[in-house]
Amino acid sequence: MGKSMSGNMNCERLQKFISCTSRQRKIPGCIRRSPKNLSSLHVYNIDDASSSFLLFGVSATQKKITTWHLIPHEDRLDIIYRGTKVMPWTVVPDLIESSSQWATNTVTKLLHRLASHNQYALAVSLRTNVTFYTVNTDNPIVEWQMLFTLDTSSVASSIYQVRCASHMMAIVSDQDRKTLSIWTEIRTDIAPICVKVFNFDESIRDIAWNVTSDAQFILAVAFSKSISIIGQKRVRNTNSDDDSWTCYTKFNTDLQEDITALAWVDCGVLTVAAGNQLRCYLKWLTSKDQVAEFVQGSKNNKTESMSSIFDVSYEMNGPLPFYHPDHLIHYIMWGNMDVVHAVLVILSNFFKQFVDDEDDTIDDIPHISFSKMLKLQNNHSNKSDAKQQYQTLFEETSDHDFGITVPTPSDDDDDNFVRSLTANEAKNLTYALKRKRLPGLDENEKIRLIAMVDTIVEITNQGESLDENGARFTALLENHFHLYRSLPEDQRQLDLQPRDFAWALHSQSQDLLLERCIKLCGDKLVWEDARSLGIFLWLQKIDVVREQMSNIARNIYLSKTDYRDPVDCSLFYLALRKKKLLQGLWNTATYHREQAAMKKFLANDFDDPRWQRAAAKNAFALLGKQRFEYAAAFFLLADKLKDAVNVILKNVKDYQLAIAICRVYEGDHSPLLKEILENTVIPMAIETNDRWLVSMAFWLLNKQKDAVRAMVVPLSQFADTTEADSAAIVREPNAFILYHYLKKCLRQDQNMIVPYNIEYAFSLRVSQSYERLGCPLLALYILTKFYMKPPKDTPTTEKSVKLDRAEDLFASSPTPSNAKDIFADEIEYKPARAADLFADDSFSDSKPSNASDLFADEDIFANAKKPSNNLFDEEEDTLLISNQESKDLFNDNSLPDMDGNDEESIINFSDKEYDSLDGYRALLVIRLLQTFFHAASLFYNGFEESMNVHEIKYRSLFLKNRQALLDLGESVKIPPNVLSRLLMEKSIETDVFPLYLYILNETIPKDFDVHQFLRYFKVGCFEVNEVALMPQDLDYATLVFVENWTKHVIRTFPIWNSLRNRYCSPETASFTTRQIALATYISIILITLKERHYESSWPLLCHFKYFLEAIGSNGGDVALSNCFAQLYKNDTKMVEMSVDDFESFSDGSMLGYDMNEEVYRPLIDCQDKSVGANLLELASLNYALSAIEHAMQCQGRHNSLSEKLSDFIWTTLLDPVAYRAHCLKEIISSQLEGNLSRRNVLKQLKTLRQKKYWHSIKSLSVFDRLLPFENNMSINILTEDHQPDHFLNVYHSTSTIYGFCLNSSAQDSMAVCLKSEIQEIDLSKASNSFSMLGQDRYPLLVYRNII
C-alpha cells in the first residue's frame, strides 16, 4: 500500500511539474499533455557527457511506457519527450521496478559502464516471469529491447520485489514475503540462475544491494524491527555443496515503527526509513551485533581485525593469499612451478626476520611482488638454467664449501631473477611453519602448506624426468600422505579418488610414480595400498602389473610375523597362475588347521576337468561360509575367471580387485576386462556422478572421444545414447585441465568432440569456480588465455531457466566450425598409451609434452592512450582500450600449448566481439586490490617510524605492484585513472593512507590525482572520528582500527598538512586541517579510554591544553607539528607512586597491589566495565571538557580558538563527549547505588594501573572538576510524584519549535526558536502561567519577532 501511494504521489507531482514548466518555458504541446493513469515513475542514468537522465512513466493498465529526456543545466532543466511505447505484455504487470539505480560509487559506476550494451533499465514481473528490458537512445523515439525473461516458478509463486546489482539479482517472493532468492550469472546478456534460497520466519520489508570498493556484493535485508547483512562465502572446493551465500551479521534497530525502506549511501552507510524517521547505520561492528558463528570462528585465522562488515566480506570472500596451499596446488596443476618456488622462497626469507621471536603468532604477512608474479605467469624461465639449478638444489653439504654463490634476499626481490627453493630453505621453512601461525591460515591449512613444501621438494628432486601429469599426480599423492600422517583420524581421507590418480594414467613417468608410491607405503605394498592409490587402474605395462601383484602377495603373506596364513595371499598367487608357489607356502604352514587338506588338494592336476569341478564345488562351499576372496581363489583354481570376477564384484564389492585379477590372469586384451569396464565400472561411476572414473574407463577401452566428452557432458548421456550432447554443471578446474589435455591427445578433428557452446559454457563455469575459490587471477586467466567468442545464436529472448540444467544457459546449436580458429594447432599430438589395453597401432609411443607455464605470454604491458580526466567520459579512450596501443595481459587467442611453446598472439577486448564479460573481468582485477591493501594495513600498523628501512623497501614494492595492477586493469578495459581512484579509495578504507602519504612526500605516481586523494582522506578522517564519538560500545577490532587510524593521522600530520596547503583551496585548507587535527585528537582520547589503555591516554591528556593552544595560535602548523612530535616521543610517563599514595589496597596482596596489574592486556582490559574503569573514563572526559570549555571562553585572545573552530566544536564534538560523560555518570550512580561520596568513589580503584592513572590525572585538575559528584549543580527534573495533574497548551506555534529560553533577569519574556525565525513571547499577560498551567485563562502572546 505504501509503495502505491508513493508512486501515485510522484506521478501527480510530475504532472504539476510539467504543467508549471510548460507555462514558464513554452514547452511544446506534446510535452504539456501530462500522462494519464501512470502506475510508477523511474529514472535511468544516461552515460554521456551531459549527465542527463531518462524518466519513464509506466502505465500498467494500458501497458505503455512514456519516456522523457531530462537534461539539467545550472539555471534550468530541459525536458524532451522521447515517445510512448506499447509493450507486448499479455497480462497486467504485478511489479515494475527500475534496475539501473545500483551504481552509486566508483566500482559500481565502472561495472555499470562496462555493461553498456546490456544495461538493465526496467524489470517487469508478469506472474512468476520477470522480464528485463534495456533502452536504445540512438533515435529520437526511445526503443525498448527485451534482454531476457527469468522464470522463477521453481522458487516463487509470486514476485514482490526485484533488486539488481551488476550480475547479481535478489528477488523477494511469495504472498507472505518470507522467501528471498539470489540469482547470478557472469554474463550480462544471459538470464541468471538461482544459487541460493532463504526462507525467513518473518516478512521481508525491503532489500538493498551494496557493492564495496573491492567489488564485494553485500545485501541488506530489512524485517520489521531488524536488519540482516548477507554476503558471499568463499568455497573450499568446487565439489562440495557448501552455501556460498550466508548471513554475516544481524542487528536490531530499536525503532518503534516498522521499517519501510532501505538504501545504501557512501562509505558503507545504511539508511533506514521507519515511520517519520530516517536512521543511518555505519558499517562498523559494535559489541551488540549478532555476528554469525562461522565469522567469529575465523577470527583466529584472520589476516586483519574485522572491524566492519567490509572486513567481514573480505575475510569470508576475499582472495586467498598467494602462499595459501589451495593457491599453490592450482599453480602446480597448471604446471607453473616457477610461481610456486617464488612464493615459497619469499615465504622462507620472510620467516628469517622472526628467528628470535618467541611469539607463535605473526601479525604481518609476506610481501609478494605482484609484478613478479605476473611476469612468472607470462614468461618461462630459461630451462637450461633451471636444469643447472636442479643439479645443486638438494645437496646436503654446505654451499660455501663448494664455492656456490648463495642467492641473497636482494636477488630474490629482482623480478627477473627466478630460482628454486633450496634443501636448507625447505627444511627451515617447514620448521618455521610448525612453530609459527601465519595470518589467513587455520591449523589444517598450515598442515597442508607444510605438506605442499614437502611436495615441491619431491617434485623438484625428480627434475625433468617427471612429465606434467606425473608432477600433478605426485603433488596430489604427496599431499595426501602428508595430511594422512598429520591430521586427526576423523579428518583423514583414506583413499585417493579417481580425480587424483587419473593423472597417473596419462603420465609417461609411471616407473617413477610407482617407485614413489611404494616408498610412501613403507616399501611394502599390500592390496589395501594399491587399491587406495588406484595402481592397477593406471599402470600401463602388463609385466609391471604382474610384478606388483606378486609383490603384493608376498607382502601380505609376510605381514604377519606370528601367524602367516597362506589363505590371505591365495587369490593373488592363483591369479598369477603360481599354484606351485602357493603349494610351497602350505607345506610350511604346519600350524594351520587346514594344512593337510590343502596340501592334498593342491597336489592334484587342475588342468583335469575333474579337479576343476572339485575346485568349483569347494568355491561354492566357501561362498556359503561367506569366505568370498577365498572362494574367488578356488574359482581361479578351477579356471573360471568370470565366476571369480563375479564373486569379487558382487560380494567383495571391489571393482579394482576384479580389474587387477583379470589383467594378471588374462592380460590387457581380455574380453572379460572390457565387459567389467562397460557393464560395471562405467554404470557405477555414472550412478555416483564420478566423471573422472568414467573418463578413465573409456580411455582404457580405447574410446578416447568418449573419455573427453565424459569431462563435460552429463553422464546420463552415456546411458542413453540417443540423447543429444548438452552441458553438464562441471565447475572443477582440474577437469578443465584434463579435458584440454585429452583433447590435444586426439589425432582426429578435435572440434567434433564437444559442441562449441558446451565448451564455451564449461570455460565460464571454471572461471567462476576459481573466483569462488578465492583465486581471481586464475579466473581471469581462463577468460583470457582460453578466450572463446560467445556462441552466435545464444538466445536473448524469453526462455525458461532451470535450476538443474546448465544447458539452458547456453542453448545453441553446435557450431564446431567456430572452434577451429580457437584451437587450431599445427603440431599433431599423440595420446599416452594406457597399459596397452586394446592398443591401436596408429598411436605412436611418443612422449607427450611437458608441463606448461601458466601464463606464457610476452610483452604483457603496453602503454595505452592517456585517458580523459572525466572518470566516466564517453570518449572511447577512457573505458575502452585503443586497438593499436593496448595489449591484454594474457595475449593469446588460441588454446595454450601445454608446453608453453605457442606463439604470441594479442587479445584486445576492444578489438573482439562484445561478449558481456567486461564487467566480470574488471571485477576480478578489482578483487586483487584486497590482497595488497590488507597486507599493507598489517604492515603499517606494526612499525613505529616512517623512515624504517623495511617501510622504504615496502613503499618501493607497492609502487611496482601499483603499476602492475594499472597495466592489468587497462588490459580488461579499466582506465588507469579509474583504477587509481579505486586504489585511493581502498587505501583510505583499509587504513593504508600513510603509504600513499609517504610516497606523495617524495613523488607523484603516474595517473594519480592528489586532490582527489586528499578529499578521500578528509572524508575518511571525519567518518572514522564519527565512529569514535559513537555512544555505543564498539567491537575490539573496531577500537583497534580507529586507534591505528588516529595515530597514523597524527604521525603523518606534517605530510598531509603540507599537501593540503599545496593542493587545496587556501580559504579552506587551514581551517579543515584544524578540524581534522582537533577531531582526531579528541577521538584518540575517547578510543584509548574505551580500550582502558591508560598508558596511551595519559600523554594525550597531559598535552591536551598545549594542543589546544597550538591549534589556535597564529603559527598553528609549526606548533601542531611540534606538539605531535613531542606527544609521540613516549617520554611522558605517569606519576610515580609511593605506598603512602595508595588510598586503598588490592585484596589478597602483601604489597597492596598485584605486579601483574602493571601489564596492559588489550583483549581483557577493553572489556572492563567495572566502577573503577568507568570512574577513570569519566574523570578523563570531564578534564577534556573543562579544557575545551576554557579554550572556548578565551576566544579572541592570543593562542585561542577561532570563532569558526569554536562553532565546529559546539556542533560536532562537544555534544557526543558530554553525552558520553553523562551516560557514564548515570552508570556509576547505578553501580554505586547512589553512594557517590569521595571515600566510596576512590575505593573503587582496584588495580595498580587504575591507581597510577588516577594519581596522574589528579595532578591536572582538582577532584571536584574531575568527578563532580558532591555539591554539584544539576537540572531539577520533576519526578513522577510531582508532575502536574493536567497539561494545557499555552502557546501554539505555526511550525516546529527547536528551542526556547527564559529571560533570567526580567522573567517576563521568553524566546522561542522556530525554523526561520526567533519569536519573543510576552509572559506579563500570563503572570500565573507557571503556577496555573492547569487553567486555560492566561494565553501567551507574541509581541515581537527578533529575527
Side-chain angles (χ1 to χ4, degrees), residues 718-917:
F718 296 104
D720 182 8
T721 57
T722 61
E723 183 179 353
D725 276 352
S726 58
I729 303 179
V730 184
R731 302 184 178 91
E732 191 171 0
N734 289 348
F736 186 77
I737 298 173
L738 182 61
Y739 166 77
H740 281 286
Y741 175 82
L742 297 180
K743 188 176 177 182
K744 278 177 169 289
C745 290
L746 300 186
R747 297 181 58 189
Q748 60 188 17
D749 187 2
Q750 300 177 5
N751 302 309
M752 297 303 295
I753 301 175
V754 176
Y756 182 85
N757 63 315
I758 295 178
E759 186 170 302
Y760 177 75
F762 186 24
S763 65
L764 297 189
R765 281 193 297 273
V766 171
S767 174
Q768 195 171 19
S769 292
Y770 274 129
E771 181 255 322
R772 299 301 314 118
L773 288 166
C775 307
L777 195 59
L778 288 173
L780 187 62
Y781 166 61
I782 298 297
L783 295 180
T784 51
K785 197 79 170 188
F786 290 85
Y787 174 77
M788 298 177 67
K789 296 180 180 179
K792 291 293 185 180
D793 53 347
T794 298
T796 57
T797 58
E798 180 177 353
K799 67 190 203 67
S800 172
V801 179
K802 300 179 181 179
L803 295 179
D804 57 345
R805 293 297 297 273
E807 58 268 25
D808 292 331
L809 297 179
F810 308 95
S812 64
S813 60
T815 54
S817 59
N818 292 341
K820 185 174 181 180
D821 296 333
I822 300 296
F823 299 102
D825 202 329
E826 296 178 359
I827 304 175
E828 190 174 286
Y829 289 89
K830 307 293 193 296
R833 299 187 63 183
D836 291 335
L837 285 180
F838 314 106
D840 191 332
D841 293 337
S842 62
F843 294 118
S844 72
D845 291 328
S846 61
K847 184 177 179 180
S849 57
N850 290 327
S852 68
D853 193 58
L854 181 54
F855 302 87
D857 294 308
E858 298 178 357
D859 192 19
I860 55 177
F861 302 125
N863 294 327
K865 184 186 290 185
K866 185 175 180 180
S868 125
N869 293 328
N870 190 348
L871 178 59
F872 296 104
D873 194 2
E874 185 65 19
E875 294 296 328
E876 187 177 64
D877 59 353
T878 301
L879 286 175
L880 298 179
I881 304 173
S882 171
N883 295 348
Q884 291 79 17
E885 299 181 6
S886 176
K887 292 186 179 180
D888 182 70
L889 172 66
F890 312 108
N891 44 17
D892 190 354
N893 64 348
S894 65
L895 177 67
D897 186 355
M898 290 294 180
D899 255 343
N901 297 324
D902 46 328
E903 297 180 359
E904 181 180 21
S905 178
I906 299 175
I907 290 184
N908 187 338
F909 285 105
S910 62
D911 192 27
K912 295 292 181 180
E913 177 182 349
Y914 179 74
D915 58 1
S916 304
L917 290 170

Side-chain angles (χ1 to χ4, degrees), residues 390-444:
Y390 291 145
Q391 292 176 354
T392 59
L393 188 59
F394 292 96
E395 296 292 338
E396 295 297 333
T397 53
S398 173
D399 294 336
H400 298 284
D401 296 340
F402 295 93
I404 299 175
T405 303
V406 179
T408 63
S410 59
D411 293 330
D412 295 329
D413 293 337
D414 185 357
D415 288 353
N416 297 317
F417 180 78
V418 182
R419 70 176 179 89
S420 298
L421 190 72
T422 66
N424 287 332
E425 285 176 329
K427 181 179 178 180
N428 294 334
L429 178 57
T430 301
Y431 177 77
L433 286 171
K434 290 178 179 179
R435 294 181 59 248
K436 304 290 185 181
R437 179 188 291 272
L438 271 175
L441 299 180
D442 59 24
E443 193 63 30
N444 286 346

Side-chain angles (χ1 to χ4, degrees), residues 918-1115:
D918 291 343
Y920 188 68
R921 293 189 190 95
L923 178 145
L924 296 174
V925 174
I926 296 171
R927 287 278 174 89
L928 294 170
L929 304 184
Q930 297 174 306
T931 300
F932 303 105
F933 279 111
H934 282 76
S937 178
L938 289 174
F939 176 76
Y940 274 89
N941 291 330
F943 80 100
E944 297 294 330
E945 299 179 6
S946 63
M947 297 308 292
N948 182 293
V949 63
H950 295 293
E951 191 277 333
I952 297 174
K953 180 179 177 181
Y954 186 83
R955 197 188 311 165
S956 174
L957 174 64
F958 176 81
L959 286 176
K960 287 200 305 183
N961 288 340
R962 177 183 179 273
Q963 188 57 47
L965 279 171
L966 291 179
D967 294 337
L968 177 62
E970 193 171 10
S971 72
V972 294
K973 302 184 182 179
I974 305 179
N977 63 331
V978 176
L979 191 54
S980 177
R981 175 176 292 190
L982 290 174
L983 287 165
M984 288 188 292
E985 291 179 0
K986 193 62 184 174
S987 71
I988 301 298
E989 182 182 305
T990 55
D991 188 22
V992 193
F993 63 88
L995 173 62
Y996 268 129
L997 289 174
Y998 295 135
I999 292 174
L1000 294 176
N1001 194 39
E1002 298 180 356
T1003 184
I1004 306 299
K1006 181 182 177 182
D1007 299 311
F1008 192 90
D1009 188 340
V1010 180
H1011 186 272
Q1012 191 76 2
F1013 171 77
L1014 293 174
R1015 187 178 72 85
Y1016 289 144
F1017 172 71
K1018 179 186 71 174
V1019 173
C1021 286
F1022 287 130
E1023 180 194 356
V1024 173
N1025 292 331
E1026 186 177 0
V1027 176
L1029 296 171
M1030 289 172 57
Q1032 294 93 336
D1033 291 329
L1034 300 174
D1035 184 79
Y1036 174 71
T1038 306
L1039 292 174
V1040 173
F1041 180 91
V1042 178
E1043 181 187 14
N1044 290 332
W1045 177 285
T1046 50
K1047 287 181 178 178
H1048 290 328
V1049 173
I1050 291 176
R1051 284 173 178 159
T1052 58
F1053 171 79
I1055 301 177
W1056 60 264
N1057 178 52
S1058 174
L1059 291 173
R1060 288 190 57 81
N1061 290 334
R1062 280 188 289 165
Y1063 289 94
C1064 297
S1065 171
E1067 292 79 10
T1068 61
S1070 178
F1071 174 66
T1072 304
T1073 297
R1074 280 153 178 74
Q1075 281 183 313
I1076 295 173
L1078 180 58
T1080 301
Y1081 202 106
I1082 294 176
S1083 296
I1084 195 173
I1085 291 177
L1086 295 176
I1087 289 298
T1088 54
L1089 289 173
K1090 290 181 179 180
E1091 292 178 328
R1092 311 309 188 203
H1093 196 183
Y1094 305 128
E1095 293 79 4
S1096 296
S1097 302
W1098 165 243
L1100 294 167
L1101 290 176
C1102 189
H1103 292 82
F1104 190 43
K1105 286 188 176 180
Y1106 172 39
F1107 166 75
L1108 292 175
E1109 292 178 0
I1111 207 170
S1113 64
N1114 292 330

